[in-house]
Amino acid sequence: MRLNDDERAMLAGERGEAVRRALQLQMTVGEFFGAADFVPIDSAHMMAEIESMGEPCLEWVEEMAGLGGQAVVPVTSNPRSVDVAMWEALGQDERQVRLELRLTQALRKLGVLTLDTCINYQTVSPPRFGEHVAWGDTGTVIFANAVAGARSNFEGGPVALAAALTGRTARYGYHLPEQRLGTVLVQLREQPACTSDWGALGCWIGRQVSDYWQVPVVAGLEVQPTVDQLKQLGATLASYGSLAMFHLVGVTPEARTVEEAFGGRQPGRTLTVEPGTLRAVYQTFQPERKRPDLVAFTAPQLSIVELRDMARLLGGRTVHPDVKLLITTNYQNRAAADHLGYSDTILAAGGLLISGACYYLMTARELAEKHGWRTIVTDSAKLANIIPGYGYNSVFRPTEVCVEAAVRGELPW
């Protein structure tokens, strides 16, 4: 890779051993992907929970902190595998908590803002159009690329931390203008009617366009999505299709027209979302029995608007005694929900409100084995895709249907 004077100084160890190791790691990644050079970044976002980091990566982070590494751009952390205030109530292993606390201590020493959220773009700072960032977490990255028009690849946890220490990332993939152009045209003949329908749409597209380097362009939209609906669409496209970018014609900033989204090129494929497609997506998630063990609202974490809606749906009602209701958000939205009284309503109904974590990262397999949980109902198409890998029977349904399942103790459909 071509290095400038600053980068040569880093590689020579003139900015300290932690920075030298960080840049060396980034060069390995950049050379693998054929990057010609580095690009300065404005922020980093790091996958940093012990569930995916593991103890070897924890030791690496502690070593980097011991070498005196310091972030030179704002860097935030993704959700963790425990809520330190809730782990006992959920029955999680205390050892997991100890590892998470060690990781948090090391990250803070490195200058990481351990906000533990996958919706930093909603609650901390949205990225600006055209800026380069080094973000991890697939749903976070696709939102930054598609909705904000910022530029990022999927950065693994250690590489995102390295980027925070050096203030740059390898210039390849979605940092390049040509990679951001559309490749597949998706014509809508059915319109999403609720937030989970946007997840169903992402699921349908992602099952057919499953390639990191492909960019779907969705045309024919007759409704304007909310930020939460864009969040669900992006998280689901990233989960089912490993996609890091999409365009919604007339909505996202690099797709004012179909022609602009494709940059004058012809689509490689055309897909059509016919009427009835979204309902059919829900039907691909069949319960093994009508009674759920668990109803989970998570993946991504809920915004304050979604917490308000959840409080309205649960107000004056009681969760069935045979069902566990879990809702995850970040510490910032939890504080706002406490202030606004939404937390009291959710807790009074029997829900568990978890902060700074996301369910599939929370030792989900061990919890299933410990509590005998098998059937999980959720309005998150992303969670429904991931959680079977932990031994669950996942059922994806609209939000209102999930709440009914939690209260009645059985699925309405």
Side-chain angles (χ1 to χ4, degrees), residues 328-344:
T328 73
T329 188
N330 56 28
Y331 295 109
Q332 303 80 53
N333 287 335
R334 174 58 189 267
D338 290 349
H339 174 69
L340 293 165
Y342 305 151
S343 302
D344 288 342

Side-chain angles (χ1 to χ4, degrees), residues 121 137-140 142-143 154 195-210 216 228-246 278 281-282 285 298-300 379-386 396:
Y121 50 84
D137 177 62
T138 54
T140 303
I142 196 170
F143 189 97
F154 292 157
T195 297
S196 57
D197 277 2
W198 287 90
L201 176 63
C203 174
W204 187 84
I205 297 171
R207 282 172 169 171
Q208 300 176 77
V209 186
S210 183
D228 285 319
Q229 289 167 345
L230 291 169
K231 175 176 74 173
Q232 288 295 338
L233 175 64
T236 310
L237 287 170
S239 181
Y240 288 85
S242 299
L243 303 175
M245 179 76 181
F246 68 90
L278 302 184
V281 168
Y282 291 113
F285 297 89
T298 182
D379 66 348
S380 165
K382 174 179 177 178
L383 181 68
N385 186 37
I386 295 171
F396 169 54

Side-chain angles (χ1 to χ4, degrees), residues 181 217 249 254-265:
L181 297 175
V217 177
V249 177
E254 293 168 70
R256 288 171 294 183
T257 64
V258 171
E259 291 73 23
E260 182 180 51
F262 283 99
R265 303 187 306 195

Side-chain angles (χ1 to χ4, degrees), residues 85-115:
M86 293 290 294
W87 68 272
E88 283 184 290
L90 285 165
Q92 288 184 281
D93 188 345
E94 186 176 358
R95 183 172 179 276
Q96 190 81 5
V97 182
R98 289 198 300 268
L99 292 172
E100 281 286 11
L101 291 175
R102 273 178 56 190
L103 184 54
T104 297
Q105 185 178 23
L107 290 172
R108 288 179 179 172
K109 194 172 180 181
L110 286 158
V112 176
L113 302 168
T114 53
L115 296 169

Side-chain angles (χ1 to χ4, degrees), residues 358-392:
C358 200
Y359 186 65
Y360 72 93
L361 300 172
M362 294 173 54
T363 60
R365 181 182 301 280
E366 289 78 3
L367 289 174
E369 291 171 353
K370 180 168 187 173
H371 299 296
W373 291 340
R374 169 68 180 163
T375 301
I376 183 170
V377 176
T378 181
D379 66 348
S380 165
K382 174 179 177 178
L383 181 68
N385 186 37
I386 295 171
I387 207 69
Y390 294 87
Y392 290 77

Side-chain angles (χ1 to χ4, degrees), residues 225-307:
T226 66
V227 173
D228 285 319
Q229 289 167 345
L230 291 169
K231 175 176 74 173
Q232 288 295 338
L233 175 64
T236 310
L237 287 170
S239 181
Y240 288 85
S242 299
L243 303 175
M245 179 76 181
F246 68 90
H247 297 289
L248 271 183
V249 177
V251 177
T252 53
E254 293 168 70
R256 288 171 294 183
T257 64
V258 171
E259 291 73 23
E260 182 180 51
F262 283 99
R265 303 187 306 195
Q266 291 297 309
R269 296 169 63 193
T270 298
L271 306 171
T272 303
V273 180
E274 299 288 359
T277 298
L278 302 184
R279 174 85 179 192
V281 168
Y282 291 113
Q283 296 295 347
T284 61
F285 297 89
Q286 286 300 316
E288 294 174 351
R289 57 174 188 256
K290 288 183 73 67
R291 183 182 67 80
D293 299 306
L294 191 63
V295 175
F297 298 100
T298 182
Q301 293 172 330
L302 271 61
S303 69
I304 188 62
V305 174
E306 291 173 308
L307 289 171

Side-chain angles (χ1 to χ4, degrees), residues 395-411:
V395 185
F396 169 54
R397 292 291 184 271
T399 307
E400 289 78 2
V401 174
C402 295
V403 171
E404 286 302 310
V407 172
R408 295 187 198 180
E410 67 176 35
L411 267 166

